[in-house]
């Protein structure tokens, strides 16, 4: 009887630990290297060179060149602004401002 109870206890502990460690379904997605919620508003220009993403408290603006490479990226949240300018795939200017 002790073996049955011990075996059931070990099985219960294992099942609880494995259940708690599994990966939960994310409510976010990654778009152009920026993580936003799945229900974010995404506006793409007709030529596909400008992308605007609004996600509640986050606003992202991305500008691409003719080849589809990211030229400028601007990420604004309630407390911070992050800007990147690239030329030929290399970062030429990077600026971050955090309001406290």
């Amino acid at each position: 009887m002790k073996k049955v109870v011990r075996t059931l206890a070990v099985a219960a502990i294992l099942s609880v630990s494995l259940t708690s460690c599994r990966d939960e379904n994310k409510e976010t997605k990654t778009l152009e290297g920026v993580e936003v919620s799945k229900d974010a508003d995404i506006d793409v220009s007709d030529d596909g060179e400008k992308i605007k993403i609004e996600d509640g408290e986050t606003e992202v603006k991305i500008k691409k060149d003719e080849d589809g490479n990211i030229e400028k990226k601007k990420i604004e949240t309630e407390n911070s602004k992050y800007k990147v300018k690239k030329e030929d795939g290399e970062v030429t200017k990077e600026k971050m401002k955090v309001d406290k």
Side-chain angles (χ1 to χ4, degrees):
M1 185 71 174
K2 279 186 174 181
K3 282 188 172 183
V4 172
V5 172
R6 189 178 297 159
T7 305
L8 289 175
V10 170
I13 291 171
L14 267 172
S15 66
V16 168
S17 66
L18 292 176
T19 302
S20 65
C21 292
R22 71 173 178 227
D23 189 21
E24 296 295 322
N25 190 8
K26 286 187 170 182
E27 295 294 323
T28 61
K29 63 181 175 181
T30 304
L31 182 69
E32 298 293 340
V34 180
E35 190 169 326
V36 294
S37 69
K38 286 187 177 181
D39 58 343
D41 294 328
I42 302 171
D43 295 325
V44 181
S45 65
D46 293 335
D47 57 2
E49 290 185 4
K50 293 183 181 181
I51 302 170
K52 183 177 180 181
I53 305 166
E54 291 186 29
D55 172 19
E57 64 214 28
T58 306
E59 182 177 329
V60 180
K61 294 180 182 179
I62 300 171
K63 184 177 178 186
K64 295 183 175 186
D65 60 10
E66 305 85 35
D67 299 329
N69 299 321
I70 295 176
E71 193 173 274
K72 293 181 183 178
K73 186 187 293 186
K74 181 178 176 182
I75 304 170
E76 290 186 39
T77 63
E78 292 178 2
N79 300 327
S80 65
K81 291 182 182 180
Y82 176 71
K83 296 179 183 181
V84 175
K85 185 176 180 182
K86 295 182 177 184
E87 287 182 17
D88 298 325
E90 298 292 322
V91 175
T92 59
K93 190 174 183 182
E94 187 173 14
K95 183 177 179 183
M96 182 172 209
K97 180 181 176 186
V98 179
D99 299 329
K100 294 183 180 181

